[in-house]
Amino acid sequence: MVPGLWFLRSSIGKKALMAASGLVLVGFVMAHLAGNLLIYGGPSALNAYAEKLRHVPALLWGARLFLLAAVAVHIATSVQLAIENRRARPQRYRLQRSAETTLAARTMLLSGFLVLAYLVYHLLHFTFRTAHPEFSRATDALGRHDVYAMVVLSFQQPPIAFAYVLGMAAVCFHLNHGIGSAAQTLGLTHERTIRLWALAGRLLSFALFIGYVSIPLAILLGLVG
Ligand code: HEM
């Protein structure tokens, strides 16, 4: 077998792929938040940004395919590793030794599926615009898709805003353990910095949660829109 292929099929290779694809997705979540925060700059800032993203279709589709590949690799490797772990330990320990692990660490597969469910809903809502089409059809005075109006009209509906808060709680709960763990898998940590990375992961996921959740809350409270 080709040596590289052997590595990718081994447990350690799958773990490395899961970690690397996870970190790519964390990069997207950070960049996406920076773009979304433009909502505080008003309709022209957000709509101009959304229009610019679509300006070079080859770049947009290149980035979308890259992200899609990262999502596929992340899901495939995590499910395979979970199955392998279960096969290696068919009988659950009577006493779950959880003193050294956190709730986020023990529920990564579950929170991962919640993130996936949230992502499907989010794409149907804002990208395919089929979930709530009544809020996503407007164009602004310059004839651009009115992303600002779409987001504001959507989050003025408490059930939609609430669904997003829950979805983003799942995303950030997943990242709470995922970031530090990925850094460790990829060998970025050192014995002395392992706790520091875990703390950095927790702080980053908390900051992402506050940044994302501020948007539906500001709209619901009438501070934006
Ligand atoms: C307040 C929270 C959020 C808002 C307001 C928001 C807003 C948007 C908007 C407006 C779009 C469509 C862009 C366009 O087609 O012009 C979009 C797409 C997308 N969002 Fe979000 N988003 C939020 C949270 C998230 C989170 C937490 C994630 C990741 C877990 C995420 C992942 C995506 C993805 C993957 C796309 C598709 C990008 C593409 O068009 O290829 N979003 N989002």
Side-chain angles (χ1 to χ4, degrees):
M1 195 186 288
V2 185
L5 210 60
W6 169 84
F7 177 70
L8 295 181
R9 284 194 175 165
S10 66
S11 266
I12 186 75
K14 282 181 203 143
K15 273 187 187 165
L17 274 179
M18 178 173 71
S21 55
L23 288 184
V24 165
L25 296 171
V26 172
F28 168 79
V29 170
M30 288 166 68
H32 191 47
L33 175 61
N36 285 340
L37 289 177
L38 286 173
I39 199 160
Y40 294 113
S44 56
L46 188 64
N47 292 352
Y49 166 72
E51 181 81 357
K52 214 174 255 175
L53 283 184
R54 294 175 179 277
H55 203 63
V56 189
L59 247 167
L60 174 70
W61 279 100
R64 279 177 167 170
L65 288 177
F66 181 63
L67 270 182
L68 207 63
V71 170
V73 166
H74 196 69
I75 295 175
T77 48
S78 50
V79 170
Q80 280 175 15
L81 283 166
I83 293 172
E84 280 174 19
N85 277 348
R86 201 151 280 203
R87 280 206 188 124
R89 181 165 54 80
Q91 277 192 327
R92 289 183 150 252
Y93 294 127
R94 262 201 209 161
L95 189 78
Q96 291 275 333
R97 292 206 171 273
S98 53
E100 276 297 310
T101 71
T102 61
L103 182 67
R106 279 177 275 129
T107 52
M108 285 304 272
L109 204 61
L110 175 67
S111 59
F113 279 116
L114 292 177
V115 170
L116 184 63
Y118 163 72
L119 197 58
V120 170
Y121 167 63
H122 180 52
L123 293 180
L124 291 175
H125 181 194
F126 284 158
T127 300
F128 299 107
R129 298 175 210 150
T130 50
H132 308 288
E134 65 277 25
F135 304 130
S136 48
R137 296 231 171 93
T139 46
D140 67 7
L142 297 175
R144 301 174 298 204
H145 175 227
D146 200 342
V147 176
Y148 183 88
M150 174 174 80
V151 175
V152 168
L153 291 174
S154 298
F155 290 159
Q156 279 173 346
Q157 314 301 315
I160 300 182
F162 188 60
Y164 269 78
V165 171
L166 283 183
M168 288 173 305
V171 172
C172 297
F173 193 64
H174 193 71
L175 297 186
N176 185 287
H177 172 73
I179 297 172
S181 169
Q184 195 181 341
T185 301
L186 294 175
L188 303 175
T189 57
H190 193 268
E191 218 166 299
R192 271 174 293 138
T193 58
I194 202 162
R195 279 175 193 274
L196 219 61
W197 271 96
L199 179 68
R202 282 201 284 275
L203 288 178
L204 179 59
S205 59
F206 184 66
L208 288 168
F209 179 70
I210 298 294
Y212 272 113
V213 160
S214 76
I215 298 172
L217 290 188
I219 293 170
L220 259 189
L221 295 173
L223 303 173
V224 168

